[in-house]
Amino acid sequence: EDQSAAKAERAPIQARAVFVAQLLLNLTTMSTQARGLQNFISDLRNAKGKEDEKKRVDKELANIRKNFTPKGGKLAEDGSNPNLTSYSRKKYVWKLVYIHILGYDVDFGHAEVMVLLRSSNYSEKNVGYTALSLLMKGDDPVMSSVRSTMVKDLTVPTPAGGKKSAPTDAAQCLALCATANISGLELIQSLHTEVLQTLVAKSSSAHVKKKAALCLLRLVRTSAKVISGREFAPQVAQLLQDRHLGVLTSSMSLLYGLASQAPNEYESLIPYAVHILGMLVLKKACAREYLYYRTPSPWLQIKLLKFLQLYPHALNTDKEEKKDANGGGTHVSQLTSIISKILTETDVSDSINKSNADHAILFEAVNLIVCWGSSGPAQLRDGAMKLLGKFISVREPNIRYLGLLTMAQLAQLEGSAESIKKHQATVLVSLKDADISVRRRALDLLFVMCDTDNAERIVDELVAHLALADAAIREEMVLKIAILAEKYATDLRWYVDTILKLISISGDHVSDAIWHRVVQIVTNHPQGDLQAYTAATLLVAASPRRCHETAVRVASYILGEFGFLIAERPGMSGEEQFRILHQHWPTSDNQTRAILVSTYAKLANLYEECRPLVAPVFARCTNNVDVEIQQRAAEYSSMREAFSPEAVEDLLREMPPFEDNKQSALEQRLREKEGDNSAAVQKAARPSIAERKRAAQSAATIKAVEDVAAQAQQETGPIEADPVSPMSDGSPGTAKKANGSKVGIPKEVIPAMRKAFSNLCTSPSGVLFENAMLQVGVKHEYVGAQGRISVFFGNLNKTALSHFRATIEEVDHLRIQKQGTQGLLDEDESGGCDVAVRTQAKLLLIVEVTAPFDDAPAMKVSFETENGELHEYPLRLPIVATCFMEPVTLEPGAFMQRWRSLEGQDRECQEVVKAPPNAPAIDEEYMKRIATIVTDGLKFGRCPGCDPTPWTVSGAATFRTGAKDMNGNNINVGCLVRVEANPQAGAFRVTTRTLHPLCSKAVKNVALVSIKLA
């Protein structure tokens, strides 16, 4: 067993040593005479373990050190042993080289290497340069003593003695190889000139030129500044005219390395590269020894094509005309002929070697077409696409892999999308290939070919395949599916459903960045019913006891933020939301529990019935071993004792919209995994039509809100955009007294109050009422049939306001949940709350509309001042029918068909309104403001093509209600509106048509008021 273990330990070392030993024995010219070296190598190969090998190496090193020291103790001037024979010196140096390659430190013998290096004998010089390349570095002190020898061998080719078959340039070749292998900036700076001269010298043989070109390439990679491109380009042009294909191949390697660092300096060499490529492809001019399975020098062709890929604008016609005018030749037409021939004549061969060589050339030609982009000939792109479509269906996996990879790059070109889609079925088949590398390339191609038209099909296919995919590719699939679903979602509800499918199928591979992105998108898109739909869907997804933890996390966050939107639905109350989430507490990790604790705090803030359920959980968590959970529970449980109810409500409000970064975290993660040059990364970086549309809608909404807020600020005085805090400055006024009677709204305030109410009907926040004593601010938001209205009562008086109460009118068409500062909602006149100076009382209303209506609900505000005056202000909340509209976009034909079907007195309301006297003339800019009122204020969708003139604005919407029909579906009302302007008369005609008379009247009224304010 010990011997077996020792052999296993020695296996890697022996495998390496076998090759090196064979190499050394072949290099030596001693064959049967090098018994000492052969025996030493045999001893090491036969060693039973590492310790035995080390003992043998130490023994040999001691012997070599002894022989390098002369018996008399007198060394030569260079530190070598003058008594050593040539045979012994070479044998000992070979042993040192072998020991060094095995991984042992060799720190002596340099003087003997120098002796061999300076010898004129080929066998000694061969050993010397080999040892120099392996045992020394460019910054070793002894290197200064060998530079002169290396310079002499490079520049003065002399016959090497001692071997009749040694060529005259043998010493040059050895010096070039050593220069390339020895690192060190100082050595490079001192020898690069000689290497360059050797390369361009007419007396240099083909072998020397090949080695000089590759040596110079190594030097340039180490220090790019050793060569000036402008000065060296003409010399490279001379090299490219050499007829020896070996020299051309080495020269192209050098040229590609130089051009990769500074492409502009070598652009003038494009005609030379095209000429050589034409000779190989079109004329088949190639020496027999460079034919590889009847393919002329495929390696040179590949290097030429890769060089041309550095110049994507080489086909630019303007540059070509300039070159033609200067006598540069028409190489562009020759280049297109070359690429066309490569595309048409390459086919799958029975010989694997020939097929590999031909397809290597072909794929580089296709890469060149990709680099040209839209500036290249369209027939070449079509031919490449057709050929690649053939290759992705062959049985050979290597060709199929390269076909998928190249097609993904070709798909990035403008105008190639439709031709790519023809191969979608074939790519889906490759997604099930046995080779995982082919599956990865198929996934990349599907990602690249995806667009708005085929996104749902491709995503559904990928989701279906995800259940069968092995773990090695699942994480990549989940990431790319999530990016595609987001980029091409015309309906964000489909995006949410897709992510939930990913979690249910492969939740372990859904990273935090993916569900964080869901939260960000849902939070940033309050339009429509996305937030309510997501909350309801996640509540259903989290209902089973066995639910993936990622689903629990995203459900916890979304329900904490938007659960109030579905609280009125059957089985979705706040108490039910807590019960569903809390059933996962025992099986959740600390990160999930921390999110749950925050959600519980928000549920307890919104619903009184949840507070007794949440309190025991917080009590247990205050002693939790996890610091994060303990801190959250302790802070939330003590929050109501430390702060006022209003402050607690502010702290636990829903989170504001996230910052909309240009690059999502998912795209950044994809870039980290695949690099900047990946076709998938480049595809993900380009915004889709759906993304641009959503961004434009968000920007328009933000701008409209800002415009309305700015207008309200100008009209009502300096107030904050959010009327919550800080409060507006107000100077105390003189309230009119009535002995023993109630003080109402001052007459001078009524016009401003009506204007503020009209503004709030179409804007999300603002001041509803303000006088010298009180400021009433409103912030409201709606999703479908539900709304959330926050009302803030600010004391502007110099003294406190007592018995402060707010009474909300109960109406049949609204279901209202009320929650406010303690005492604010008291019905008893002796009750109410106290509002100190410069503080606020707050009221939260959760409403759901159940039927059409045309009047806003009333709110009565009453309070007493310090001197006993009783104030009572009758107000109306800006809850109107247009708040519950959902935009609809109709085609012109569908719009006119519905418009005609809704004719009739019961369904149509029409009224003409004059523009205000101080309003500007009705022009296109004025009509743009009217269009903004219809879309952003009334929440109607514009219907492109429906407006016969620029003076008409048409829109469609659906009035959402929470009432149910006999089948359990929500009852909704379709609504149409048309605003027609008469610029000469300075008037507008507003026509509304709906299925319900109250809807028609309500929409008309809000539209008329908004137009007057425009």
Side-chain angles (χ1 to χ4, degrees):
E1 291 180 357
D2 293 340
Q3 290 180 353
S4 299
K7 288 183 178 180
E9 182 183 1
R10 292 290 307 131
I13 300 176
Q14 288 181 348
R16 181 179 56 190
V18 168
F19 171 76
V20 177
Q22 189 64 39
L23 174 65
L24 295 178
L25 293 178
N26 290 337
L27 286 173
T28 59
T29 57
M30 297 176 281
S31 65
T32 57
Q33 301 173 359
R35 292 297 180 188
L37 178 60
Q38 292 181 5
N39 293 337
F40 174 63
I41 294 174
S42 298
D43 291 344
L44 293 182
R45 293 176 61 183
N46 295 328
K48 295 181 179 180
K50 189 174 182 179
E51 292 183 359
D52 291 343
E53 180 190 275
K54 191 173 186 308
K55 289 179 180 179
R56 183 67 182 89
V57 169
D58 291 341
K59 178 181 178 181
E60 190 62 37
L61 287 174
N63 181 51
I64 297 174
R65 194 184 297 270
K66 178 181 177 182
N67 283 281
F68 279 177
T69 304
K71 294 181 179 179
K74 187 175 181 180
L75 297 174
E77 293 182 359
D78 56 4
S80 63
N81 184 358
N83 300 327
L84 274 179
T85 63
S86 173
Y87 166 80
S88 299
R89 182 174 284 110
K90 289 188 293 184
K91 179 179 67 173
Y92 293 139
V93 171
W94 276 130
K95 287 183 179 181
L96 290 177
V97 169
Y98 186 65
I99 292 171
H100 170 76
I101 292 177
L102 289 179
Y104 296 94
D105 292 334
V106 176
D107 55 359
F108 67 96
H110 295 166
E112 310 301 333
V113 173
M114 298 299 106
V115 173
L116 294 173
L117 194 67
R118 289 191 289 267
S119 173
S120 60
N121 186 283
Y122 174 77
S123 63
E124 294 182 2
K125 190 176 287 290
N126 184 15
V127 179
Y129 272 114
T130 304
L132 179 70
S133 301
L134 295 173
L135 298 181
M136 298 184 188
K137 299 180 180 179
D139 54 356
D140 285 343
V142 295
M143 290 302 299
S144 58
S145 61
V146 300
R147 286 194 185 94
S148 58
T149 303
M150 297 179 70
V151 170
K152 179 181 178 182
D153 289 338
L154 282 172
T155 56
V156 185
T158 55
K163 185 175 180 181
K164 295 181 180 180
S165 60
T168 57
D169 54 10
Q172 277 184 298
C173 293
L174 290 174
L176 288 169
C177 291
T179 304
N181 289 324
I182 299 175
S183 61
L185 184 61
E186 187 177 350
L187 180 67
I188 292 173
Q189 292 175 346
S190 61
L191 291 179
H192 78 274
T193 304
E194 286 73 17
V195 175
L196 183 58
Q197 292 175 354
T198 304
L199 174 62
V200 300
K202 295 182 179 180
S203 58
S204 298
S205 64
H207 295 292
V208 172
K209 288 184 178 181
K210 289 191 293 182
K211 291 185 179 294
L214 297 178
C215 176
L216 189 60
L217 175 60
R218 178 69 67 87
L219 300 183
V220 169
R221 287 174 177 171
T222 306
S223 178
K225 297 181 180 180
V226 298
I227 289 181
S228 173
R230 295 182 180 179
E231 299 175 1
F232 188 56
Q235 296 172 324
V236 178
Q238 294 295 326
L239 290 173
L240 295 180
Q241 298 178 43
D242 199 299
R243 294 189 176 184
H244 195 283
L245 288 182
V247 175
L248 289 178
T249 304
S250 299
S251 300
M252 280 308 305
S253 297
L254 173 61
L255 176 58
Y256 181 71
L258 294 170
S260 299
Q261 298 175 353
N264 296 333
E265 296 180 356
Y266 299 93
E267 189 173 1
S268 61
L269 300 179
I270 292 177
Y272 295 95
V274 174
H275 174 73
I276 297 171
L277 193 61
M279 295 295 292
L280 295 174
V281 176
L282 300 178
K283 298 183 179 180
K284 305 291 184 181
C286 178
R288 185 177 183 86
E289 60 268 23
Y290 285 93
L291 282 174
Y292 183 77
Y293 289 89
R294 301 187 304 278
T295 300
S297 188
W299 300 277
L300 179 55
Q301 292 189 47
I302 291 172
K303 293 177 187 296
L304 291 165
L305 291 169
K306 289 178 74 68
F307 168 72
L308 293 173
Q309 291 170 23
L310 298 176
Y311 303 96
H313 304 295
L315 296 186
N316 188 286
T317 55
D318 294 336
K319 291 184 178 180
E320 178 59 26
E321 290 173 0
K322 292 178 183 179
K323 291 179 181 179
D324 289 346
N326 296 331
T330 57
H331 64 273
V332 171
S333 59
Q334 184 182 9
L335 181 56
T336 54
S337 302
I338 293 169
I339 302 301
S340 178
K341 186 169 184 178
I342 293 175
L343 294 179
T344 54
E345 293 189 358
T346 304
D347 202 353
V348 180
S349 174
D350 294 335
S351 172
I352 295 178
N353 292 329
K354 177 173 175 55
S355 181
N356 289 341
D358 291 345
H359 285 89
I361 298 171
L362 171 66
F363 286 118
E364 290 300 335
V366 175
N367 287 335
L368 180 57
I369 296 174
V370 173
C371 291
W372 287 341
S374 57
S375 64
Q379 63 270 23
L380 290 182
R381 294 198 300 272
D382 296 339
M385 186 64 68
K386 183 178 180 181
L387 200 60
L388 292 174
K390 177 182 177 182
F391 288 154
I392 64 175
S393 59
V394 301
R395 295 181 60 185
E396 175 61 34
N398 291 335
I399 296 177
R400 195 162 65 252
Y401 173 91
L402 290 173
L404 292 168
L405 177 65
T406 310
M407 185 176 283
Q409 298 173 346
L410 194 60
Q412 299 294 312
L413 300 184
E414 184 178 354
S416 60
E418 293 303 321
S419 55
I420 286 283
K421 291 178 184 178
K422 297 178 182 178
H423 307 289
Q424 183 172 317
T426 306
V427 180
L428 288 171
V429 173
S430 297
L431 196 62
K432 304 171 185 177
D433 195 274
D435 191 338
I436 188 172
S437 60
V438 175
R439 295 201 299 272
R440 290 185 187 276
R441 298 289 73 79
L443 177 60
D444 284 346
L445 182 53
L446 284 172
F447 185 90
V448 171
M449 70 167 57
C450 190
D451 59 18
T452 307
D453 297 332
N454 60 1
E456 290 196 18
R457 182 187 173 191
I458 288 180
V459 170
D460 290 344
E461 289 281 357
L462 291 175
V463 171
H465 180 70
L466 181 63
L468 307 175
D470 52 326
I473 199 176
R474 276 198 170 195
E475 183 178 359
E476 182 180 354
M477 287 188 67
V478 167
L479 177 61
K480 292 184 176 178
I481 291 171
I483 294 175
L484 289 178
E486 177 188 344
K487 284 185 74 69
Y488 299 105
T490 55
D491 185 350
L492 287 174
R493 292 176 295 183
W494 171 74
Y495 164 72
V496 172
D497 292 338
T498 301
I499 301 300
L500 288 180
K501 289 179 184 177
L502 295 181
I503 294 173
S504 62
I505 295 173
S506 184
D508 292 340
H509 299 93
V510 177
S511 63
D512 287 346
I514 294 177
W515 76 263
H516 289 172
R517 189 62 178 166
V518 174
V519 168
Q520 180 178 349
I521 289 176
V522 173
T523 303
N524 287 7
H525 291 83
Q527 304 91 345
D529 63 343
L530 175 64
Q531 294 174 345
Y533 175 83
T534 306
T537 305
L538 286 168
L539 185 63
V540 173
S543 296
R545 275 193 167 275
R546 292 187 177 181
C547 176
H548 196 276
E549 194 157 1
T550 303
V552 177
R553 291 177 182 176
V554 65
S556 300
Y557 190 97
I558 293 295
L559 290 174
E561 296 295 314
F562 310 112
F564 69 91
L565 298 175
I566 61 172
E568 293 298 319
R569 300 184 185 181
M572 296 186 178
S573 64
E575 187 177 356
E576 190 66 18
Q577 293 177 29
F578 173 82
R579 185 193 63 78
I580 291 174
L581 292 176
H582 195 58
Q583 68 177 342
H584 302 291
W585 181 274
T587 58
S588 300
D589 62 11
N590 289 334
Q591 182 181 354
T592 307
R593 288 183 178 183
I595 301 173
L596 285 170
V597 168
S598 296
T599 301
Y600 294 165
K602 295 199 172 192
L603 292 176
N605 180 58
L606 289 173
Y607 313 107
E608 291 282 351
E609 63 271 19
C610 289
R611 293 178 185 176
L613 303 175
V614 171
V617 179
F618 285 174
R620 290 193 300 269
C621 290
T622 51
N623 296 321
N624 197 288
V625 294
D626 185 79
V627 176
E628 180 68 21
I629 297 175
Q630 183 188 45
Q631 181 178 353
R632 292 193 185 198
E635 290 177 354
Y636 290 141
S637 59
S638 61
M639 189 179 288
R640 294 192 175 276
E641 300 175 1
F643 303 104
S644 64
E646 297 83 0
V648 173
E649 183 182 341
D650 281 344
L651 291 170
L652 296 178
R653 285 182 60 83
E654 63 271 17
M655 297 295 290
F658 292 87
E659 183 182 356
D660 193 9
N661 295 325
K662 293 183 178 179
Q663 184 184 36
S664 72
L666 301 186
E667 294 177 12
Q668 188 173 359
R669 186 178 180 87
L670 182 65
R671 187 182 301 274
E672 292 172 357
K673 291 175 67 69
E674 300 193 3
D676 293 338
N677 296 326
S678 168
V681 172
Q682 296 174 5
K683 172 78 171 182
R686 291 196 298 269
S688 65
I689 297 176
E691 285 181 312
R692 289 196 294 266
K693 185 177 180 181
R694 290 199 297 267
Q697 290 175 347
S698 298
T701 302
I702 293 172
K703 186 177 184 303
V705 171
E706 291 175 349
D707 292 344
V708 173
Q711 182 180 0
Q713 183 174 0
Q714 292 175 359
E715 296 169 352
T716 61
I719 63 169
E720 297 290 333
D722 183 356
V724 178
S725 178
M727 294 190 48
S728 305
D729 292 332
S731 57
T734 57
K736 291 184 179 181
K737 284 189 178 182
N739 294 330
S741 63
K742 299 176 182 177
V743 179
I745 300 176
K747 291 182 180 180
E748 62 271 14
V749 178
I750 292 177
M753 184 184 72
R754 289 176 177 173
K755 194 171 187 179
F757 174 83
S758 301
N759 281 330
L760 276 170
C761 288
T762 56
S763 61
S765 62
V767 174
L768 177 64
F769 170 83
E770 184 175 9
N771 66 0
M773 305 183 70
L774 179 67
Q775 183 189 61
V776 181
V778 176
K779 184 175 183 180
H780 54 148
E781 52 191 353
Y782 302 86
V783 177
Q786 289 88 28
R788 177 188 177 102
I789 301 93
S790 300
V791 187
F792 312 93
F793 307 94
N795 182 0
L796 303 181
N797 198 23
K798 290 184 177 181
T799 59
L801 304 179
S802 59
H803 301 292
F804 197 102
R805 295 185 301 119
T807 305
I808 308 299
E809 177 190 12
E810 296 290 343
V811 292
D812 295 335
H813 55 268
L814 290 176
R815 283 197 289 260
I816 304 178
Q817 286 186 8
K818 294 169 283 189
Q819 182 179 350
T821 303
Q822 186 173 0
L824 178 65
L825 298 173
D826 288 349
E827 296 181 2
D828 188 1
E829 292 185 1
S830 61
C833 63
D834 293 333
V835 183
V837 178
R838 314 300 296 174
T839 62
Q840 294 176 332
K842 299 181 182 180
L843 173 65
L844 174 65
L845 303 177
I846 307 296
V847 302
E848 182 178 34
V849 62
T850 58
F853 64 98
D854 64 344
D855 198 7
M859 176 179 67
K860 184 177 68 175
V861 179
S862 62
F863 59 89
E864 287 185 12
T865 61
E866 188 179 30
N867 56 9
E869 283 183 346
L870 177 61
H871 291 251
E872 189 173 284
Y873 300 154
L875 304 175
R876 288 204 175 269
L877 291 171
I879 304 174
V880 293
T882 54
C883 295
F884 303 96
M885 293 293 178
E886 184 173 300
V888 175
T889 302
L890 296 177
E891 297 294 331
F895 179 87
M896 295 308 301
Q897 182 181 0
R898 295 191 184 186
W899 183 261
R900 288 189 291 267
S901 67
L902 292 175
E903 290 180 344
Q905 293 182 353
D906 294 339
R907 297 179 176 181
E908 178 181 285
C909 279
Q910 188 176 90
E911 189 170 336
V912 176
V913 59
K914 279 276 189 180
N918 57 348
I922 299 176
D923 54 9
E924 293 185 1
E925 288 299 323
Y926 203 115
M927 293 306 297
K928 287 182 180 179
R929 293 201 295 273
I930 299 299
T932 303
I933 290 173
V934 172
T935 55
D936 298 339
L938 305 183
K939 297 185 179 180
F940 274 66
R942 285 294 302 274
C943 299
C946 297
D947 301 328
T949 68
W951 313 112
T952 305
V953 177
S954 303
T958 301
F959 177 73
R960 298 290 186 184
T961 74
K964 306 287 184 180
D965 59 14
M966 297 179 60
N967 298 323
N969 299 320
N970 285 2
I971 298 176
N972 303 316
V973 180
C975 305
L976 301 178
V977 66
R978 172 167 280 181
V979 181
E980 299 164 288
N982 187 339
Q984 291 77 18
F988 296 90
R989 181 173 66 184
V990 179
T991 306
T992 58
R993 294 183 181 182
T994 73
L995 289 170
H996 199 286
L998 290 180
C999 276
S1000 300
K1001 183 180 178 182
V1003 174
K1004 181 210 58 169
N1005 291 339
V1006 178
L1008 289 176
V1009 173
S1010 301
I1011 290 173
K1012 289 178 182 179
L1013 294 176

